[in-house]
Amino acid sequence: MAMLISETAPAYDLALDAFMASSGARDVPGMYHAVRKLAYFSSPDRSPEAVMRDGRGACTAKHILLRDLLRRHGEAAEVEFVAGDFAAGMPQVVSMPAPLRDMIRTAGISDFHCYVVWQNAGHEVRLDATWPDALADHGFPVNAGWTGSGDTILAITPSGISRRAEDVINAKARLLSVLTTEQAEKRRVFLKLLSDWIATIS
């Protein structure tokens, strides 16, 4: 797939082109894995620019980046949100701090997860690029073997109706605003513990 590089393109498009060039990706699977391999890290900055700058990000920023890379190369793609319990079903790993393992064991982390829906020859394919390769040996579904067909494994089991948004960052903020103060704080602590632990194994 040809790179779309133009010196007159907006700065963000040029950044997408530079990311693609540095990753060596040339097709949809290549773009998907280039984003998926970026480290997981939950940050208040959910922008794709932050992911490209820092080389890490959580589901929102990584999937905006993947959507925009796909669109930059002529593919139809959207970001879709689903509600669910982010801790339920997550593996408990010995090297995790005890508070993180306890939160996974008891679950109850209300969240709104997102991924990309790619239109492939008239079929919708769900692409979840949340988990990097460093988590494969710890039982996380990193989707390293995806080659271009079929849905990837989601990082969350959906429990709510899915919805799509163009303005993903503000849509995420609106969704999170419905959480109670207790739910929001529990989610914040969980994501920090998870991000800090992942940083130690990456």
Side-chain angles (χ1 to χ4, degrees), residues 14-196:
L14 293 176
L16 293 175
D17 293 336
F19 178 85
M20 282 291 294
S22 66
S23 72
R26 291 294 182 271
D27 56 12
V28 171
M31 285 183 268
Y32 168 72
H33 289 297
V35 175
R36 184 189 61 77
K37 290 178 180 179
L38 296 172
Y40 178 90
F41 184 81
S42 179
S43 165
D45 188 344
R46 300 186 178 105
S47 70
E49 291 89 347
V51 180
M52 289 187 283
R53 180 190 68 233
D54 301 335
R56 64 184 189 177
C59 70
T60 304
K62 290 179 78 170
H63 290 112
I64 296 173
L65 175 58
L66 178 56
R67 178 199 67 183
D68 293 349
L69 286 170
L70 291 169
R71 289 179 174 180
R72 180 79 173 137
H73 291 80
E75 302 290 340
E78 296 181 85
V79 172
E80 182 168 86
F81 288 96
V82 290
D85 184 335
F86 198 37
M90 192 174 289
Q92 298 178 53
V93 183
V94 173
S95 61
M96 287 176 171
L100 178 58
R101 291 199 310 273
D102 288 344
M103 294 183 86
I104 292 173
R105 178 176 52 81
T106 57
I109 305 299
S110 300
D111 206 353
F112 299 93
H113 181 63
C114 66
Y115 47 83
V116 167
V117 178
W118 167 51
Q119 298 290 338
N120 179 24
H123 298 284
E124 292 191 337
V125 178
R126 283 161 175 74
L127 302 178
D128 194 314
T130 302
W131 304 130
D133 288 336
L135 295 174
D137 291 340
H138 300 287
F140 285 73
V142 302
N143 293 305
W146 188 76
T147 58
S149 63
D151 291 336
T152 60
I153 301 171
L154 301 185
I156 195 171
T157 299
S159 63
I161 298 173
S162 63
R163 65 189 70 181
R164 299 176 188 180
E166 188 65 23
D167 184 350
V168 177
I169 292 175
N170 283 326
K172 180 69 172 266
R174 287 193 298 271
L175 289 168
L176 290 174
S177 71
V178 308
L179 298 179
T180 66
T181 301
E182 181 182 359
Q183 287 173 325
E185 177 62 11
K186 191 173 182 181
R187 174 184 176 274
R188 184 195 67 79
V189 171
F190 177 79
L191 292 177
K192 184 179 189 309
L193 288 170
L194 179 64
S195 296
D196 289 349

